[in-house]
């Protein structure tokens, strides 16, 4: 006959207590679990009680994830300060506990959470700075792809350009931003004290992509943003020219701008070879 809970039940209790928002003693009281009941499950001794032993695991759990969040969001952590970032991480983990075997994904929802958090309410641009940092983390891990080269384009006949299929490499993302958070990122990266960002054009966005093992980002204007929004899922050079032609005064001007974008994307190794 079993003299204790099944392993799955023991694991569930252990996980709930270790990942709870309070210290183990307070968590037990909140859940109405007497300490002797815990002592029947977790061995204690003269050096450390069952509660003290679980507190070690609880602290390790939290501070390991806090370390991961700081590594994924170093600019955000630097801007808000150590204690507010600690409190933000505490609130975040209560709302978004880690559910994946890898800690790689633990910070994925932080930008959206921060936009609704009290800290984000006082400085709404913080969520966009976090979104930029997460995009850089995410893009770094995305799949490699062979890039479209100038040589491949040079081999095309002029009449074939309209049907030329265009798509971005997988390691690419577009981050909408109402604030100039890239200026904050650049200042911190350069070891400077960042000034608060300014409101940007509502169509402003930041392109993030990886070339080799290096992640880059740059600001894009309204027209390039719209062009990129069609590029990310895939388009053709002819369709790109047509979309730009709807905004510009002539097909010739649209074709010239599309060619400028194409040259810039080629230089950035942004286009996948299809």
């Amino acid at each position: 006959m079993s003299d204790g809970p099944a392993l799955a039940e023991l694991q569930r209790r252990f996980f709930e207590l270790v990942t709870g928002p309070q210290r183990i003693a307070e968590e037990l009281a909140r859940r109405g679990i007497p300490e002797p009941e815990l002592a029947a499950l977790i061995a204690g001794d003269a050096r450390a009680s069952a509660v003290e032993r679980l507190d070690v695991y609880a602290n390790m759990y939290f501070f390991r994830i806090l370390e991961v969040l700081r590594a994924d969001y170093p600019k955000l952590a630097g801007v808000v300060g150590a204690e507010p970032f600690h409190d933000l991480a505490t609130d975040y983990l209560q709302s978004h506990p880690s559910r994946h075997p890898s800690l790689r994904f633990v910070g994925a929802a932080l930008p959206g959470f921060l936009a609704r958090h009290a800290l984000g309410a006082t400085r709404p641009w913080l969520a966009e700075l976090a979104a930029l940092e997460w995009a850089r983390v995410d893009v770094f891990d995305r799949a490699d792809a062979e890039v479209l080269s100038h040589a491949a384009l040079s081999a095309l006949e002029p009449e074939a350009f309209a049907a030329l299929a265009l798509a971005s490499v997988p390691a690419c993302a577009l981050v909408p931003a109402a604030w100039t958070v890239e200026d904050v990122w650049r200042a911190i990266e350069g070891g400077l004290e960042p000034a608060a960002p300014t409101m940007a054009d509502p169509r402003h966005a930041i392109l993030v992509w990886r070339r080799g093992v290096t992640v880059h980002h740059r600001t894009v204007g309204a027209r390039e943003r719209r062009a990129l929004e069609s590029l990310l899922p895939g388009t053709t050079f002819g369709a790109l020219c047509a979309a730009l032609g709807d905004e510009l005064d002539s097909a010739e001007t649209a074709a010239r701008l599309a060619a400028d974008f194409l040259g810039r994307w080629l230089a950035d190794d942004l286009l996948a070879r299809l």
Side-chain angles (χ1 to χ4, degrees):
M1 180 180 293
S2 172
D3 56 0
L7 177 60
E9 175 64 15
L10 181 60
Q11 290 173 328
R12 184 188 65 78
R13 292 188 193 179
F14 181 91
F15 180 80
E16 288 179 349
L17 289 171
V18 165
T19 60
Q22 303 177 50
R23 295 182 63 86
I24 297 300
E26 287 80 4
E27 197 65 25
L28 289 172
R30 186 175 74 86
R31 294 170 180 270
I33 302 174
E35 287 194 22
E37 183 176 325
L38 178 68
L41 303 175
I42 306 295
D45 57 25
R47 293 174 300 171
S49 67
V51 168
E52 290 168 334
R53 286 173 183 263
L54 269 192
D55 264 329
V56 171
Y57 283 100
N59 287 333
M60 289 171 58
Y61 171 84
F62 174 77
F63 283 103
R64 176 67 185 106
I65 295 183
L66 179 62
E67 179 185 325
V68 170
L69 292 175
R70 281 197 180 118
D72 286 344
Y73 296 97
K75 306 297 189 293
L76 175 66
V79 165
V80 304
E83 188 172 334
F85 190 81
H86 176 284
D87 294 343
L88 172 65
T90 301
D91 294 343
Y92 173 67
L93 290 176
Q94 289 182 40
S95 178
H96 294 81
S98 179
R99 299 297 189 196
H100 196 280
S102 171
L103 289 180
R104 154 69 176 81
F105 303 97
V106 72
L110 183 62
F113 177 81
L114 181 53
R116 304 183 301 273
H117 191 265
L119 192 61
T122 59
R123 287 181 283 178
W125 54 269
L126 289 176
E128 294 186 352
L129 177 62
L132 172 58
E133 292 205 271
W134 182 256
R136 290 180 59 91
V137 169
D138 191 45
V139 158
F140 182 80
D141 286 340
R142 292 191 191 176
D144 294 328
E146 186 178 358
V147 298
L148 182 63
S149 66
H150 283 280
L153 283 188
S154 299
L156 285 178
E157 296 296 332
E159 59 270 19
F161 263 83
L164 173 65
L166 298 175
S168 71
V169 294
C172 173
L174 196 60
V175 181
W179 300 82
T180 56
V181 291
E182 64 272 36
D183 294 342
V184 176
W185 194 97
R186 187 183 307 111
I188 298 172
E189 189 74 1
L192 304 175
E193 183 68 27
T198 58
M199 286 286 288
D201 184 305
R203 297 164 296 181
H204 161 258
I206 305 167
L207 173 66
V208 182
W209 78 102
R210 176 170 53 79
R211 178 195 289 159
V213 296
T214 304
V215 176
H216 305 268
H217 70 256
R218 63 174 174 85
T219 305
V220 297
R223 285 204 176 100
E224 188 178 7
R225 174 183 175 174
R226 285 192 289 275
L228 286 165
E229 286 172 343
S230 66
L231 176 71
L232 295 181
T235 187
T236 65
F237 186 73
L240 178 61
C241 291
L244 291 171
D246 292 339
E247 303 177 22
L248 299 170
D249 54 4
S250 72
E252 182 181 348
T253 303
R256 188 162 50 247
L257 182 58
D260 287 344
F261 287 158
L262 185 62
R264 185 181 304 172
W265 297 340
L266 284 169
D268 287 339
D269 286 342
L270 193 64
L271 297 173
R273 181 170 184 174
L274 301 178

